[in-house]
Every structure is written in C-alpha cells, then in structure tokens.
Amino acid sequence: MRSVDSNSPAEQAGLKAGDVVVRVNSIAVSSGTDWTKTIHDNRGRPVPVVVIRDKQEQTLTLTPDSKKRSCVIPGFGLEELFGETGQYTRELLAKL
C-alpha cells in the first residue's frame, strides 16, 4: 500500500505504507478490488490482515468502520509488478 490515512482503522491496526497485504480474513488479496470488497463485507468486525513487511509475514487485526472513507491507498499489486508470476512471488514472499 502507498499510504495509510491518519486516525483510520488501518493506522490503528498498525498497517504502514509499504506493507504488502496478502490475506484479509483468510481471503487472498491480489488487487485493490479484493481489498475493498473484503473490508466492506466485514465492517464493524475485527478481521486478521496478513501483511509482508521487511520480508516477514505479520498478522494484524483490523476493525473496519462503517464510514465510507478509504483507510488505505492501495499500491501496485504483485500481479501488476510481476505479471503472471505474481501469485508465485506472493507464495515465495510468504515463505520468507
């Protein structure tokens, strides 16, 4: 992700710019659309968010609010950066 809004649920959960979100609530995230849908579907409930940060997988807990505001600005997904090898790259990073 490129940035995290101040005082947002994402910031409160500990998400930081540069994190690569790989799963939300056990659902693989490969695009901004995946992120938005999963967060929308889980508003008001705490959900685990698995990120890759500094080559380490970390699990944070995010409780999306019901406000219609963006809590993060998605960056490029792995597929956009690596093309068809994006899923393989995601799996490889998760093993680091």
Side-chain angles (χ1 to χ4, degrees):
M1 63 187 58
R2 276 188 231 163
S3 69
V4 178
D5 290 348
S6 296
N7 299 316
S8 69
E11 182 185 61
Q12 292 169 1
L15 286 162
K16 297 182 180 192
D19 286 349
V20 176
V21 177
V22 291
R23 285 186 306 280
V24 176
N25 204 24
S26 301
I27 298 170
V29 175
S30 61
S31 70
T33 302
D34 291 343
W35 166 266
T36 302
K37 181 181 181 340
T38 305
I39 292 301
H40 176 75
D41 291 347
N42 289 284
R43 288 183 298 190
R45 295 180 296 210
V47 293
V49 177
V50 179
V51 300
I52 303 288
R53 180 187 298 161
D54 299 325
K55 299 181 184 178
Q56 300 280 330
E57 188 173 281
Q58 296 183 10
T59 302
L60 307 170
T61 301
L62 170 69
T63 304
D65 64 17
S66 59
K67 295 178 183 177
K68 295 202 181 234
R69 64 181 169 111
S70 174
C71 53
V72 300
I73 298 174
F76 293 105
L78 290 175
E79 285 72 15
E80 292 163 322
L81 291 174
F82 299 107
E84 293 180 13
T85 62
Q87 183 61 33
Y88 171 76
T89 304
R90 182 181 306 283
E91 292 167 5
L92 185 61
L93 284 172
K95 292 177 184 177
L96 295 178

